[in-house]
Amino acid sequence: MKILAFSDLHISRARAADIVAASRVADLVIGAGDFGNMRKGVAEAMGLLAGIETHFVVVPGNNESLDELQAAAPEGAIVLHGNTVTIDGVTLYGIGGGIPVTPFGAWSWDLSELDAEELLAGAAGAEVMISHSPPKGIADRTATGLSVGSTAVRDAAARVQPKLLVCGHIHDCWGEEGMIGETRVKNLGPTVNWFEI
């Protein structure tokens, strides 16, 4: 399966156009959250991605809630948060939101590590994990060097050992990757990223 994945679109018209154009040769497109900005523009961002005609799986970021993403997602798109879907024999698990709770205040759609841990219990058997937030210790450093990733996501990846874990959220680490056991982890950013599963 040829997978195109991205995160943190933040309503960028140019980035969306690149993603839609590249999607024509993808078997699956994954959007790992933060389509809007501060809970605004989610429908506009989804409209920019409406040209994706292949399988399209998304998770909410901290810039949109689950309900907001479900309401705005294009017809046929699959929104995951705490659940799985199997597409062409590949099982994907998704979890959205800022994990752990961010310092951004009331607009940010966040989960505690404990809430995330409970949701991640459903990740067993996933070959691909999609998390808006990176796992603790990989591609999770802010500009000041602070590691702000999720221990719950890290521990779930270590337990489940999916082939691939894609994330975003921490802009300073876009493009960075690492390993958790046999699991390849990549912080995507709003560019075209290709994977084969």
Side-chain angles (χ1 to χ4, degrees):
M1 174 182 284
K2 189 172 185 179
I3 300 173
L4 184 165
F6 69 96
S7 69
D8 303 283
L9 184 67
H10 295 294
I11 329 175
S12 169
R13 187 171 296 276
R15 299 286 198 186
D18 290 345
I19 290 161
V20 170
S23 74
R24 295 186 185 109
V25 294
D27 299 311
L28 168 67
V29 177
I30 293 173
D34 274 8
F35 302 96
N37 285 315
M38 298 176 70
R39 309 286 287 277
K40 294 182 171 68
V42 183
E44 180 185 349
M46 288 290 107
L48 295 175
L49 298 168
I52 294 172
E53 296 179 353
T54 190
H55 298 290
F56 188 23
V57 176
V58 294
V59 302
N62 64 300
N63 275 263
E64 60 272 331
S65 70
L66 175 61
D67 290 344
E68 289 160 352
L69 185 57
Q70 286 173 329
E75 186 177 347
I78 298 166
V79 181
L80 294 181
H81 179 65
N83 54 338
T84 62
V85 66
T86 300
I87 296 172
D88 294 342
V90 176
T91 300
L92 303 100
Y93 169 89
I95 186 167
I99 314 166
V101 174
T102 70
F104 303 138
W107 68 262
S108 189
W109 193 72
D110 300 331
L111 283 82
S112 70
E113 291 283 13
L114 184 59
D115 288 341
E117 190 177 319
E118 290 174 4
L119 285 174
L120 285 156
E127 294 164 89
V128 177
M129 285 180 65
I130 309 159
S131 171
H132 178 60
S133 296
K136 184 76 171 174
I138 298 177
D140 74 334
R141 293 172 328 284
T142 64
T144 61
L146 192 63
S147 169
V148 294
S150 167
T151 56
V153 171
R154 180 195 64 205
D155 294 349
R159 181 183 76 249
V160 175
Q161 287 289 279
K163 294 174 183 169
L164 178 65
L165 190 165
V166 292
C167 59
H169 189 44
I170 308 303
H171 295 197
D172 300 297
C173 291
W174 285 344
E176 289 188 20
E177 56 183 287
M179 299 293 291
I180 299 175
E182 297 299 310
T183 300
R184 180 183 177 191
V185 179
K186 183 158 187 187
N187 185 325
L188 301 164
T191 56
V192 172
N193 297 270
W194 290 109
F195 304 94
E196 287 277 354
I197 295 290

